[in-house]
Amino acid sequence: MKNNFTVLLLSMFCVVTKPVIAQDEIITDLKYNHVIKSEILRQASGAGSAKISATASTDTLYLPFFDDFSINTVWPSQDRWSDSTAFVNYNFGINPPTLGMVTFDGLNKLGNPYDNSNANANGLCDRLTSNAINLFNDDNGLPYDPTDSLFLIFQYQRKGRGDNPEANDSLVLQFLDPATQVWQPVWRALGTTSGDTVFNKVKISINDPVFRQNGFRFRFSNYGSKTGMLDLWHVDYISLRKFLPPDYENLKDYAFVYQGKSLLINYSALPWKHFSFLTTGQQQAFVKTEAALTLRNNNDAAPFPISVSGNIYDQYNNLTPLVGGGGLNNIVVPLNQNLTPPATLLSNSIFQDPTTGEQATFIAKYEIGTTTGGGVVDDFPQNDTLYYEQDFHNYYAYDDGSAELGYGVNGIGASLAYKFEVLKGDTLRGVRIFFAQLGISVTNQIFRLAIWSGNAAGPQGAPVYEQFNQTPNYSDSINGFYTYLTNPVFVPAGTWYFGFIQNNAVLLNLGLDVNTPADPTRKFINTSGSWINSQLPGMWMIRPVFSQSPINTGIADDLLSSALSVYPVPASDIISITMDHQQSENFSVRITDLTGRTILFRKNLTPSIDVSEFSNGMYLLHISDPVSGSTLSRKILVAGK
């Protein structure tokens, strides 16, 4: 529980508590969930028919019940959950058991504060309710014996990479009595003075005959501030099943822990024309030597060796081995621990591509397997595959596209400048900036888009280019970047700084990606006439855009937009694709969830795709031309299971 937003003020040397001083940087908690709001707006536009929250399943579930939120979209799957105002994400937890978690905060299902009329508003916020579960008999009709061990096991974390719940805040678990339809509290965790760096495991026995009935449900609820993305709780790895003695937790699961990471050193994206201009040796200076893969052993039995394979597909659908090293064929991960194996990248052939377009896309696919090269590794294969899309578009970027916090500098005329090494002289066409929507809109605040020349020590002199009378704009899309078009400005290769100069002492709430480690040597602020390095965590969400021709900020795709049909809507097993284009068989196809995580990738477009293993929900189908780099996206809805 807290006031309307938590502010961290840092000077060069110390933390201060007064609201404004020279050389201030400010971090603010998010008051809106941009990913959720973007999906709601897409639905309102008629582009899709996904439901904001799931409705109760008509079929009672049988044990086992399991969800690790590794393959879901913005909201938990309707296959398991009857409603949810909590949201699925891959960024806010620290050391989760697997990819993905469900997060509880002070934002409603629309991504807005429950109550921002009162800075001290607090109380019930999010809920996550299971579908009805049969705890009386199994799917063969055999009743459970009173001596059978039925356990609900889950893991939770306070704070993570968000805001910390205080002592008066709580996460509560309740069970439903099917006979009386009364919810009974069975467990509660309180906030603390600091957050957790690990997930806490909870095991609850369900031995009361009141609950061992057909129609049992359970639900999680959080109590805290109702004014924003505050007092965060993360829940993961929920399992309800019958356990057999003596091994009461006989789970077998190896998993990837974090979403895929950029294969580039420092950068998350580079303009393809700039990267391909370099010699092979120069390119290698930008490519990592090891993949950032983290594995976890969630087994409750003795560990056994596993393997990891990796391949990369270029936009011509060519497959190349991605990782090497003898350590990947006999990996032993200690029980309930993370391990980062020596996944050496075979980088001498990763990004070889003769395309003449301004975009190149490479899909890295990593898979956990057995040491014998076949068979099922564990009980939960959905978290055994990891994708990462390495995009080379027309912009430079350090961030991963996700804002966990908002950022600002204090003072009239306060400036910030972001260092980029431009690899090839080219025409600047714009600067993409993500401004977070925090509390009162600042779209009436004026700033100057600015570009400085400089060196490693910082910007030098006055801006070489300025664009006056700009205001923060909010783009309703997953990435959330707004493109500020510039006059065509030729920028020679070298060190350049991109940023803005604000007119007033008002926080503009620049998006801050704290999942990407901070590099202070690239972030400079100026509030009193001299430049200093930023001392706060994370990387700013600013991306300079280069192109020899004017860029199109719309969503139309001239090559593919008039020739694609995807049906049925909704689909339960198979989606069919028809496309009137003579080169369509050479196009690649990719399906992502609404957070951008790749669920399926194929080198060549086929007339049908099996989605029977997908959870109910909304997905995005992307079809790409490897020659031009053009991509067309369509929504697909999987439902009816």
Side-chain angles (χ1 to χ4, degrees):
M1 180 175 65
K2 49 180 64 63
N3 290 335
N4 200 30
F5 45 94
T6 301
V7 179
L8 180 64
L9 301 174
L10 276 80
S11 69
M12 291 178 61
F13 304 107
C14 62
V15 178
V16 298
T17 56
K18 56 185 180 181
V20 179
I21 65 169
Q23 302 288 21
D24 276 352
E25 299 182 85
I26 296 177
I27 285 181
T28 55
D29 296 302
L30 299 181
K31 302 301 178 293
Y32 299 89
N33 188 310
H34 184 78
V35 173
I36 291 178
K37 288 173 67 65
S38 300
E39 176 57 17
I40 298 299
L41 289 168
R42 273 196 296 270
Q43 294 176 20
S45 70
S49 57
K51 298 177 182 178
I52 293 174
S53 62
T55 56
S57 171
T58 57
D59 297 323
T60 300
L61 302 177
Y62 291 95
L63 299 185
F65 178 104
F66 178 80
D67 202 343
D68 67 348
F69 308 102
S70 63
I71 60 174
N72 293 320
T73 55
V74 176
W75 297 283
S77 171
Q78 299 177 48
D79 294 343
R80 303 174 186 87
W81 307 101
S82 63
D83 64 19
S84 177
T85 45
F87 73 100
V88 174
N89 68 93
Y90 307 96
N91 300 312
F92 283 95
I94 299 174
N95 293 319
T98 71
L99 291 166
M101 69 214 69
V102 62
T103 293
F104 298 74
D105 58 16
L107 300 179
N108 63 24
K109 64 184 178 182
L110 302 178
N112 298 319
Y114 281 100
D115 183 359
N116 58 6
S117 63
N118 179 357
N120 296 312
N122 65 90
L124 173 64
C125 297
D126 287 343
R127 269 187 170 150
L128 175 66
T129 306
S130 75
N131 285 332
I133 305 171
N134 192 336
L135 294 190
F136 183 77
N137 58 263
D138 61 22
D139 55 354
N140 292 317
L142 299 176
Y144 291 112
D145 188 274
T147 62
D148 288 337
S149 299
L150 302 185
F151 286 102
L152 176 66
I153 300 176
F154 62 92
Q155 299 188 33
Y156 76 94
Q157 183 178 72
R158 306 171 182 87
K159 185 181 183 295
R161 290 190 172 90
D163 180 69
N164 186 57
E166 287 80 24
N168 291 330
D169 305 322
S170 62
L171 179 70
V172 175
L173 173 65
Q174 296 171 300
F175 287 172
L176 178 68
D177 178 347
T180 64
Q181 292 296 297
V182 174
W183 288 96
Q184 299 186 18
V186 297
W187 174 88
R188 182 177 70 158
L190 298 176
T192 59
T193 56
S194 61
D196 302 320
T197 58
V198 298
F199 274 74
N200 306 284
K201 188 174 183 179
V202 177
K203 177 181 176 182
I204 298 176
S205 174
I206 308 177
N207 53 19
D208 191 331
V210 168
F211 301 124
R212 288 203 176 193
Q213 305 296 327
N214 190 1
F216 168 80
R217 295 175 187 262
F218 65 93
R219 73 182 182 190
F220 294 92
S221 307
N222 74 303
Y223 294 82
S225 173
K226 302 169 74 72
T227 63
M229 193 178 285
L230 303 169
D231 302 330
L232 268 61
W233 300 85
H234 314 290
V235 177
D236 198 5
Y237 221 66
I238 302 173
S239 175
L240 173 54
R241 58 172 58 201
K242 173 184 174 181
F243 294 96
L244 301 175
D247 187 4
Y248 285 96
E249 300 178 29
N250 55 342
L251 299 177
K252 183 173 70 172
D253 183 34
Y254 287 92
F256 289 108
V257 175
Y258 297 115
Q259 61 184 343
K261 300 294 184 180
S262 173
L263 301 177
L264 300 174
I265 298 173
N266 297 325
Y267 293 93
S268 62
L270 292 171
W272 177 246
K273 284 292 188 180
H274 294 198
F275 182 81
S276 60
F277 172 77
L278 303 177
T279 66
T280 300
Q282 291 171 327
Q283 290 178 358
Q284 294 310 307
F286 289 88
V287 179
K288 291 179 178 177
T289 58
E290 283 194 353
L293 303 178
T294 303
L295 309 177
R296 184 169 180 84
N297 180 355
N298 294 303
N299 289 324
D300 288 298
F304 55 89
I306 58 173
S307 65
V308 173
S309 62
N311 295 298
I312 191 164
Y313 299 87
D314 66 20
Q315 67 230 50
Y316 293 100
N317 306 319
N318 298 312
L319 181 149
T320 303
L322 178 62
V323 296
L328 293 177
N329 294 320
N330 192 27
I331 303 172
V332 177
V333 185
L335 291 174
N336 298 311
Q337 294 186 35
N338 292 351
L339 179 71
T340 302
T344 303
L345 290 175
L346 306 177
S347 55
N348 58 341
S349 60
I350 286 182
F351 302 129
Q352 300 301 312
D353 197 308
T355 181
T356 57
E358 294 212 8
Q359 172 180 313
T361 300
F362 301 84
I363 303 293
K365 180 181 180 181
Y366 309 96
E367 295 180 282
I368 298 174
T370 64
T371 55
T372 58
V376 177
V377 180
D378 53 42
D379 298 330
F380 309 115
Q382 68 267 24
N383 55 39
D384 295 343
T385 302
L386 178 66
Y387 291 94
Y388 182 76
E389 180 178 307
Q390 186 64 62
D391 286 323
F392 293 85
H393 289 292
N394 55 4
Y395 59 83
Y396 290 85
Y398 300 118
D399 66 89
D400 66 4
S402 170
E404 287 73 46
L405 297 167
Y407 173 90
V409 288
N410 269 324
I412 296 174
S415 309
L416 62 82
Y418 213 6
K419 182 174 69 174
F420 291 88
E421 288 86 15
V422 177
L423 303 179
K424 176 181 180 293
D426 201 352
T427 301
L428 180 73
R429 296 290 179 173
V431 179
R432 293 175 181 161
I433 304 178
F434 174 36
F435 287 107
Q437 302 182 58
L438 306 179
I440 298 175
S441 172
V442 293
T443 55
N444 61 341
Q445 296 298 319
I446 304 297
F447 68 85
R448 284 176 281 163
L449 194 67
I451 304 170
W452 295 265
S453 61
N455 52 37
Q460 303 296 309
V464 297
Y465 176 86
E466 294 181 275
Q467 191 158 298
F468 290 79
N469 299 321
Q470 304 300 301
T471 61
N473 285 279
Y474 307 123
S475 175
D476 294 318
S477 65
I478 286 292
N479 288 329
F481 287 87
Y482 182 86
T483 302
Y484 292 87
L485 297 178
T486 64
N487 295 328
V489 179
F490 183 81
V491 178
T495 300
W496 296 89
Y497 290 81
F498 301 83
F500 55 78
I501 305 169
Q502 59 193 54
N503 282 23
N504 302 311
V506 176
L507 300 182
L508 301 186
N509 298 320
L510 175 66
L512 185 66
D513 167 28
V514 296
N515 281 314
T516 300
D519 184 350
T521 67
R522 298 182 180 275
K523 302 187 299 179
F524 288 80
I525 62 170
N526 186 340
T527 61
S528 61
S530 61
W531 292 100
I532 64 169
N533 293 113
S534 166
Q535 298 301 311
L536 294 186
M539 296 299 278
W540 300 332
M541 299 178 72
I542 297 176
R543 300 174 169 184
V545 182
F546 293 86
S547 176
Q548 295 180 9
S549 58
I551 62 173
N552 178 9
T553 60
I555 61 173
D557 191 311
D558 295 334
L559 179 63
L560 305 174
S561 60
S562 63
L564 178 64
S565 176
V566 182
Y567 57 91
V569 179
S572 59
D573 297 310
I574 301 293
I575 60 170
S576 297
I577 304 171
T578 60
M579 190 169 194
D580 182 17
H581 194 287
Q582 60 181 358
Q583 298 296 326
S584 61
E585 68 275 7
N586 296 322
F587 296 162
S588 64
V589 59
R590 181 169 53 92
I591 296 178
T592 66
D593 62 25
L594 296 180
T595 66
R597 181 167 176 260
T598 298
I599 305 300
L600 176 146
F601 175 74
R602 287 187 178 176
K603 297 183 292 180
N604 297 100
L605 177 63
T606 57
S608 63
I609 295 177
D610 185 356
V611 294
S612 60
E613 298 300 320
F614 287 29
S615 299
N616 287 344
M618 184 67 71
Y619 299 85
L620 295 177
L621 172 76
H622 310 275
I623 296 176
S624 299
D625 176 6
V627 177
S628 67
S630 298
T631 299
L632 177 66
S633 299
R634 288 286 187 270
K635 290 185 178 180
I636 58 174
L637 177 64
V638 177
K641 297 180 180 180

